């Protein structure tokens, strides 16, 4: 396995190159300065050779000579992580902008790489913006004794084939098992890699994992879970607690997490594939095409709310937005260590009485800073239960018919008006959102209260807590001869 890291200054195109190599779009690209803060990891395959690509943050605030805290929050931690990554990586790809050229920070990192005796390559991006004097610009780069220079354009996908040919010529070093085990669970396209080779007998792929000594089965399902919420709610600390690793950077500053960070956790013989998301400002963020495509790939949503602030209108809009699109939502209230159990119980009653859709949702009250609580195992057990109920077992229509018959017999004894109403047939038209079509002889006699009564009993009997359940009542059409 070959490890390569993409490094460079601000707005050079590191994340777009990472997305192009890994064929994903989870690391977000924007014009804003220093958008990437956490490191992203991903696989890509070329002619039976596996490569791990690492997207890094900009190194402008780092001081490689003296370890000084130039940036108050976590810069020393990120700098140490950056240096340890360069020590382990086989190839360093320095990405620069051709319109700007080599800056003083680029020259500083080149001298640092030469001291470490690291193999490095210069990738000159945005060559489509320069038409004339192209050779002159490259002569300036050769002055610095750089052996391998590749002119590329990520936007138009030109010049990258030469870079692939160079990677195939490079010798694969020995497997660094300790470092690969750390990185392996953080890869962006880990589930795609397993689904790709699930039904294919690839000797290369099997030998790879024998050498890494990483015990993962092909039959294990990937449950994709995303943690959603506003800023400074505790999403990144919750991800770190789930995986017992400091995956994402935590701080009090608003907007520290700016990318979708992934982490795999194996428990109960299941791969829980967690991801931390950037904080949502307004409803317009959800309607963006990039975010909608990313959110559509997840199965379960953990919506995190600060209990000190409470649920606002924006939180309710976001929950409704994903419920109607057939997503399983689990509501989690964080920072509950200062509240007593009696206050939490009263607040839970208040929520269920005020908001009708919250009655059918699973609610957890946690404190992500206190690891002594058993909230992690309880959340994981509930996720496993609801996932297997909907995605794997899939409720049969005969079960729905039995529930309807019991409801009809019990309710008709109490109400004499509905004795003439009879349920003939029912079937499940869709699982996410969960839609049941019920055929009735007299639809007009059914009240709105009776319809609500049916949906609530369906949710309780079939254990569909956290789903958007909809029952469509349809009349029976009598055909004439």
């Amino acid at each position: 396995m070959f490890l390569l890291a993409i490094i460079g200054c601000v707005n050079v195109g590191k994340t777009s190159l990472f997305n192009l190599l890994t064929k994903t779009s989870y690391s977000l690209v924007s014009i804003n300065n220093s958008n990437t803060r956490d490191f992203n990891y991903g696989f890509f395959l070329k002619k039976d050779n596996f490569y791990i690509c690492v997207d890094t943050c900009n190194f402008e605030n780092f001081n490689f000579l003296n370890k000084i805290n130039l940036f108050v929050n976590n810069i020393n931690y990120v700098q140490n992580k950056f240096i340890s990554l360069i020590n382990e990586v086989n190839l360093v790809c320095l990405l620069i902008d051709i319109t700007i050229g080599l800056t003083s920070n680029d020259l500083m990192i080149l001298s640092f790489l030469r001291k470490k005796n690291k193999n490095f390559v210069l990738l000159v991006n945005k060559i489509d913006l320069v038409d004339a004097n192209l050779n002159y610009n490259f002569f300036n780069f050769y002055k610095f004794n750089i052996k391998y220079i590749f002119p590329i354009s990520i936007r138009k996908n030109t010049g990258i084939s030469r870079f692939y040919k160079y990677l195939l010529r490079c010798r694969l070093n020995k497997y660094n098992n300790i470092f690969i085990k750390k990185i392996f669970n953080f890869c962006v396209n880990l589930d795609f890699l397993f689904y790709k080779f699930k039904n294919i007998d690839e000797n290369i792929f099997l030998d790879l994992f024998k050498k890494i000594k990483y015990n993962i089965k092909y039959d294990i399902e990937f449950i994709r879970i995303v943690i959603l919420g506003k800023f400074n709610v505790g999403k990144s600390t919750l991800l770190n607690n789930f995986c017992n690793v400091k995956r994402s950077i935590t701080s009090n500053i608003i907007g520290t997490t700016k990318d979708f960070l992934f982490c795999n956790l194996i428990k109960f013989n299941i791969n829980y594939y967690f991801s931390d998301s950037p904080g949502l400002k307004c409803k317009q963020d959800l309607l963006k095409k990039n975010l909608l495509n990313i959110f559509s790939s997840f199965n379960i949503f953990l919506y995190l709310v600060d209990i000190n602030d409470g649920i606002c209108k924006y939180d309710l809009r976001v929950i409704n937005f994903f419920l109607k699109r057939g997503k399983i939502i689990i509501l989690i209230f964080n920072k509950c260590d200062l509240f007593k159990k009696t206050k939490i119980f009263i607040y839970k009653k208040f929520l269920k009485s005020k908001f009708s859709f919250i009655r059918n949702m699973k609610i957890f009250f946690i404190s992500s800073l206190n690891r002594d609580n058993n909230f992690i195992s309880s959340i994981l057990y509930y996720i496993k239960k609801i996932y297997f109920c909907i995605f794997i077992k899939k409720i049969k229509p005969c079960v729905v018919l039995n529930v309807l018959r019991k409801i009809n017999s019990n309710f008709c004894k109490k109400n004499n008006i509905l004795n003439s109403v009879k349920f003939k047939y029912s079937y499940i038209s869709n699982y996410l959102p969960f839609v049941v079509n019920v055929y009735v002889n007299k639809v007009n006699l059914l009240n709105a209260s009776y319809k609500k009564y049916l949906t609530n009993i369906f949710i309780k009997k079939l254990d569909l807590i956290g789903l958007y359940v909809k029952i469509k009542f349809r009349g029976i059409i009598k055909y004439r001869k």
Side-chain angles (χ1 to χ4, degrees):
M1 187 177 283
F2 196 78
L3 303 170
L4 60 101
I6 304 165
I7 62 170
C9 293
V10 183
N11 288 333
V12 176
K14 298 186 294 294
T15 55
S16 52
L17 181 63
F18 176 80
N19 289 333
L20 194 142
L21 291 172
T22 56
K23 295 179 182 179
T24 56
S25 60
Y26 291 112
S27 58
L28 301 174
V29 181
S30 70
I31 305 166
N32 297 324
N33 291 330
S34 65
N35 191 45
T36 306
R37 284 184 183 174
D38 294 283
F39 295 169
N40 269 326
Y41 308 90
F43 280 101
F44 68 96
L45 180 71
K46 283 287 168 186
K47 291 185 180 179
D48 300 334
N49 290 325
F50 284 92
Y51 300 91
I52 291 180
C53 182
V54 188
D55 183 18
T56 60
C57 60
N58 62 328
F59 49 80
E60 287 182 355
N61 295 321
F62 297 162
N63 190 359
F64 294 101
L65 300 172
N66 297 315
K67 292 182 180 180
I68 301 167
N69 285 322
L70 297 172
F71 189 59
V72 177
N73 289 293
N74 296 312
I75 194 69
N76 199 9
Y77 167 74
V78 177
Q79 184 178 341
N80 292 329
K81 195 177 178 181
F82 186 85
I83 293 162
S84 63
L85 189 138
I86 286 170
N87 290 327
E88 298 292 339
V89 159
N90 303 124
L91 181 70
V92 179
C93 302
L94 180 61
L95 197 68
I96 62 165
D97 191 348
I98 195 167
T99 56
I100 298 166
L102 283 164
T103 59
S104 59
N105 291 313
D106 293 327
L107 294 171
M108 183 181 70
I109 198 101
L110 280 171
S111 63
F112 176 75
L113 291 170
R114 279 168 180 157
K115 284 178 183 177
K116 294 278 183 181
N117 293 321
K118 295 299 295 183
N119 295 324
F120 65 91
V121 172
L122 187 69
L123 300 174
V124 184
N125 193 16
K126 302 177 185 179
I127 56 167
D128 55 335
L129 301 176
V130 180
D131 295 328
N133 298 324
L134 185 65
N135 294 322
Y136 175 75
N137 289 322
F138 280 108
F139 281 123
N140 289 331
F141 297 139
Y142 281 113
K143 286 179 185 178
F144 298 100
N145 295 323
I146 300 166
K147 193 174 181 180
Y148 298 104
I149 300 170
F150 297 99
I152 61 167
S153 175
I154 300 163
R155 189 181 176 185
K156 293 188 176 181
N157 199 0
T158 56
I160 294 161
S161 58
R162 288 182 64 199
F163 177 62
Y164 282 140
K165 286 176 183 177
Y166 171 76
L167 286 175
L168 292 168
R169 277 183 284 153
C170 292
R171 291 181 181 177
L172 294 170
N173 293 344
K174 291 181 180 179
Y175 294 97
N176 192 349
N177 293 328
I178 298 162
F179 187 69
I180 287 168
K181 279 183 182 179
K182 286 180 183 177
I183 289 173
F184 192 80
N185 288 324
F186 304 152
C187 285
V188 172
N189 50 358
L190 185 67
D191 57 341
F192 173 75
L193 195 94
F194 276 99
Y195 281 125
K196 190 176 179 181
F197 293 96
K198 193 174 181 181
N199 298 319
I200 300 167
D201 295 328
E202 289 274 342
N203 294 321
I204 300 158
F205 191 71
L206 291 167
D207 291 333
L208 179 78
F209 290 103
K210 283 177 185 176
K211 287 176 182 176
I212 294 170
K213 296 176 183 178
Y214 200 86
N215 297 320
I216 291 181
K217 296 178 183 178
Y218 290 103
D219 298 328
I220 296 172
E221 292 289 332
F222 273 89
I223 302 175
R224 295 175 65 84
I225 305 153
V226 64
I227 303 166
L228 273 177
K230 291 195 291 185
F231 293 108
N232 287 336
V233 176
K235 299 187 292 296
S236 53
T237 51
L238 186 64
L239 181 77
N240 293 334
N241 284 333
F242 272 122
C243 305
N244 289 323
V245 181
K246 194 177 180 183
R247 174 67 183 98
S248 59
I249 299 164
T250 57
S251 69
N252 295 322
I253 296 167
I254 293 169
T256 47
T257 306
K258 293 189 176 182
D259 278 324
F260 284 87
L261 306 173
F262 289 84
C263 188
N264 186 32
L265 174 69
I266 300 167
K267 206 167 186 179
F268 307 121
N269 293 323
I270 294 165
N271 283 327
Y272 295 94
Y273 201 48
F274 286 96
S275 73
D276 187 11
S277 63
L280 299 169
K281 292 179 183 177
C282 57
K283 197 178 178 181
Q284 292 178 358
D285 292 342
L286 292 171
L287 298 173
K288 289 177 182 177
K289 287 183 179 179
N290 293 328
L291 289 174
L292 279 173
N293 291 327
I294 292 165
F295 285 133
S296 63
S297 62
F298 294 104
N299 302 320
I300 295 163
F301 286 69
L302 302 178
Y303 196 84
L304 210 64
V305 181
D306 191 349
I307 198 166
N308 298 311
D309 299 331
I311 288 181
C312 62
K313 287 182 180 179
Y314 173 69
D315 294 326
L316 297 171
R317 283 175 188 172
V318 173
I319 290 164
N320 273 320
F321 181 81
F322 287 113
L323 272 173
K324 287 177 181 178
R325 276 161 178 76
K327 301 295 180 183
I328 301 163
I329 294 176
I330 299 163
L331 193 61
I332 298 171
F333 287 92
N334 196 13
K335 303 176 185 178
C336 299
D337 51 347
L338 300 174
F339 285 80
K340 293 181 180 178
K341 289 183 179 179
T342 53
K343 283 186 177 180
I344 290 165
F345 183 73
I346 292 159
Y347 186 65
K348 193 175 181 179
K349 267 191 171 183
F350 167 73
L351 284 171
K352 288 186 175 181
S353 62
K354 192 172 182 181
F355 307 108
S356 59
F357 63 91
I358 289 176
R359 289 175 199 167
N360 301 323
M361 289 178 68
K362 190 73 176 176
I363 303 169
F364 290 97
F365 292 90
I366 64 162
S367 175
S368 57
L369 290 172
N370 296 329
R371 294 184 180 179
D372 297 331
N373 296 332
N374 295 320
F375 67 88
I376 290 168
S377 60
S378 59
I379 290 167
L380 291 174
Y381 180 75
Y382 175 72
I383 289 165
K384 177 191 173 184
K385 184 182 175 182
I386 198 163
Y387 184 83
F388 274 82
C389 181
I390 294 155
F391 291 95
I392 295 167
K393 288 182 181 177
K394 289 196 175 181
I395 298 159
K396 295 177 182 178
C398 63
V399 178
V400 179
L401 272 170
N402 290 328
V403 172
L404 272 172
R405 283 168 188 167
K406 286 177 183 177
I407 291 163
N408 196 13
S409 61
N410 292 328
F411 196 78
C412 287
K413 288 175 184 177
K414 296 178 182 178
N415 298 307
N416 294 321
I417 303 163
L418 295 170
N419 282 329
S420 58
V421 176
K422 291 180 181 179
F423 299 103
K424 297 291 182 182
Y425 183 69
S426 66
Y427 68 93
I428 300 161
S429 60
N430 197 8
Y431 280 94
L432 287 172
F434 196 81
V435 181
V436 181
N437 291 325
V438 179
Y439 287 92
V440 190
N441 58 350
K442 293 177 182 179
V443 184
N444 298 324
L445 293 174
L446 293 173
N447 298 323
S449 61
Y450 184 63
K451 289 176 182 179
K452 284 182 182 178
Y453 169 79
L454 277 172
T455 52
N456 291 326
I457 287 177
F458 261 108
I459 290 160
K460 287 177 184 177
K461 294 275 183 182
L462 302 172
D463 291 328
L464 299 171
I465 297 163
L467 275 177
Y468 180 71
V469 178
K470 193 176 181 180
I471 299 171
K472 292 180 179 179
F473 295 94
R474 295 181 179 182
I476 298 163
I477 302 165
K478 293 181 180 180
Y479 293 99
R480 293 181 181 177
K481 290 182 181 180

